[in-house]
Every structure is written in structure tokens, then in C-alpha cells.
Amino acid sequence: MRKKLVAGNWKMNQNSIGISEFASKLLTKLQNSQPNSDILICPPFVYLPQLTALFEGSSVQIGAQNVSNNSKGAFTGEVSAAMLTDIGLRWCIVGHSERRKFNHETDEELIQKMELLFAEKINPIFCCGETLPDRNAEKHFEIVQQQIESTLCAMTTNIVETITIAYEPVWAIGTGVTASKEQAQEMHAFIRDLIGKQFGDSIAQNTHILYGGSVTAENAQELFSMPDIDGGLVGGASLKADSFFQIINNCK
Ligand code: 13P
């Protein structure tokens, strides 16, 4: 049985005062409950030490939103996988659609990032998902298959075993338009099947596939009740302790 994971992607939001308030609220709520899911928050780089300190000793893990595709050296503004390990992180988002779009990340760079993370024992959360024109043209399976085949399928089994996949249809991100539970489930099953064909059934069954795109306290329960949806990668609703906690509580 795959334990659910609720991961917050804060993107370029929050500040240090807001983070202190968020942490004290969430910790109080978690003290009085027994969550059924793993919990992860990925803040902007500069807030990683603050969040790590605030949640130390709790069930809340902290991760990064990005990592360099180079291991070290003259890359101004970049952060290496070794640096993430150095501050005790175990998770890092890779290939979010916003980075693919605004930073023109290529499949080759995503592979390099995941290989560097693997070497540092950090679990990547690999994002994939189609745009609205792709979906309207009924090309969504083809696009996601391409994204997986050109990255994960080009990597070794021991690395793929450590990867969590996040299916995030671009048309659902920050739009308030969530994929229906049926749309999400059929894509998650399709992705699991692809992983199974390439890496075998046991790895496919153990791979966590998160859904992301306008997850809220209201829709999380029905999405997370689907057999191939193993939790969520949550943007906007992870910024408030109340809604994030409600989403965590929706994991049965
Ligand atoms: P929203 O939950 O704000 O739609 O963002 C989803 C996302 O991009 C998480 O990585």
C-alpha cells in the first residue's frame, strides 16, 4: 500500500513573518491529529533553513523547488544538489511546468538534475502534464508519454525507484479548474502502466504519482480516493495552514 504524500509547492510566495505564523498554526493542528499522509513543504530557497528549523522533530519534511543541473562551480545564482544535502533536505521538485516554460528546461537538463539528486540521496518529484491546447486536441496521453519516455525511461532503474511523479495538467495550475477525478485517475493509471512496461510491475506499483492543479480542501478527498492518485502537489492552497491541514486530513 502506498502511503499518501501531500506536498506544498509555495513557488515564489511567503515571507519570514508569514512562515512563522504558518508553522505555529500547522504544528498546533498536527499535534491534535494523526495524519495518514506524509507531509512536505517546498518553499523558496532562502526560507529553507527557517522552515527546517521550525519543523524540526515534527512529521513535516522540507524540500527544494529546484536544483542546478551542474554539480558545482561558476554558475551564478544556482544551488547544487550537494548543497541541498548539506542542509539536510531529502526532496526536490524537478521539471515543474513553470520552469519548463519560463526557464526553458530541457529533458537533458532534467535527467542531469535527477542524476545529481540521486547521487545525494534526494528524492526528485518529477512533474509532467499537458497544456490546454494539447488536451483540446486530445493529445494529452501522447504528450505525457513523450515527457516520461524522454526522461524517466532514459534513466536507470535504481534512480527511477527513488522518483515520485507529479501529474500536473498545465490548464489546471492556478486556474481553479481542477481535473475531474476520472480525468486524473485515467492519466495516473496510464503513467503507472508506462512505468510498468519499462521498469516492471513492482516498481510501477511502488511509484507514487501525485496530482497537482487547483487542489483545494474541498476537492482533495475525491481526488485522493482514486486508486492511482497517491496524494497531491499543492500550490495556492498550501500557503495557508488551514487549507493545507484540511488537505492533509483528507487522506484516508
Ligand atoms: P495550484 O495548486 O495553485 O494550482 O498549483 C499547482 C502546482 O503547480 C503545484 O506544483
Side-chain angles (χ1 to χ4, degrees):
M1 213 5 217
R2 296 178 297 271
K3 189 174 182 188
K4 297 241 185 308
L5 169 65
V6 177
N9 173 12
W10 281 1
K11 309 191 180 185
M12 199 168 70
N13 294 297
Q14 277 289 19
N15 58 37
S16 48
I17 294 172
I19 288 173
S20 299
E21 287 167 8
F22 175 96
S24 79
K25 259 193 177 177
L26 186 60
L27 286 169
T28 308
K29 286 172 185 293
L30 288 172
Q31 257 167 19
N32 305 316
S33 73
Q34 293 281 326
N36 283 322
S37 71
D38 287 323
I39 307 167
L40 174 70
I41 300 174
C42 301
F45 281 130
V46 290
Y47 299 123
L48 285 167
Q50 184 189 359
L51 266 183
T52 305
L54 285 167
F55 284 106
E56 198 180 346
S58 79
S59 57
V60 179
Q61 303 180 77
I62 308 301
Q65 295 177 14
N66 183 36
V67 68
S68 172
N69 62 316
N70 290 290
S71 60
K72 65 174 196 170
F75 299 98
T76 302
E78 294 292 309
V79 171
S80 71
M83 291 169 184
L84 301 182
T85 304
D86 192 29
I87 61 163
L89 302 193
R90 286 284 154 263
W91 294 91
C92 180
I93 298 172
V94 173
H96 192 280
S97 61
E98 287 149 14
R99 293 203 58 85
R100 291 178 192 252
K101 180 176 174 190
F102 300 122
N103 302 81
H104 314 289
E105 290 189 342
T106 64
D107 291 333
E108 197 192 341
E109 287 166 347
L110 303 185
I111 292 173
Q112 290 165 345
K113 288 177 186 216
M114 288 188 277
E115 287 175 346
L116 289 166
L117 290 170
F118 177 74
E120 293 294 339
K121 299 191 172 58
I122 297 173
N123 303 313
I125 299 180
F126 171 80
C127 302
C128 58
E130 80 285 357
T131 62
L132 188 58
D134 295 335
R135 166 78 49 175
N136 288 340
E138 297 189 2
K139 283 183 164 175
H140 43 293
F141 291 116
E142 192 185 315
I143 296 292
V144 170
Q145 180 165 358
Q146 220 170 56
Q147 290 171 338
I148 302 245
E149 283 181 349
S150 56
T151 51
L152 304 196
C153 293
M155 298 172 72
T156 56
T157 308
N158 57 340
I159 299 185
V160 172
E161 273 179 326
T162 68
I163 296 174
T164 290
I165 299 172
Y167 168 58
E168 298 205 309
V170 178
W171 49 270
I173 296 178
T175 58
V177 182
T178 318
S180 69
K181 60 183 196 299
E182 293 81 12
Q183 285 174 320
Q185 165 58 29
E186 68 170 356
M187 185 60 86
H188 283 228
F190 176 75
I191 293 170
R192 197 176 305 287
D193 195 50
L194 283 177
I195 299 296
K197 283 189 182 122
Q198 184 75 19
F199 298 102
D201 195 48
S202 151
I203 289 181
Q205 289 309 320
N206 284 322
T207 299
H208 281 75
I209 308 177
L210 311 180
Y211 168 78
S214 297
V215 174
T216 63
E218 289 70 40
N219 61 28
Q221 186 162 16
E222 62 169 23
L223 284 163
F224 296 173
S225 70
M226 302 307 276
D228 287 293
I229 302 183
D230 305 315
L233 183 55
V234 186
S238 71
L239 291 166
K240 295 257 181 319
D242 284 335
S243 47
F244 192 52
F245 178 73
Q246 281 178 46
I247 292 170
I248 293 164
N249 245 357
N250 274 313
C251 294
K252 298 289 175 243

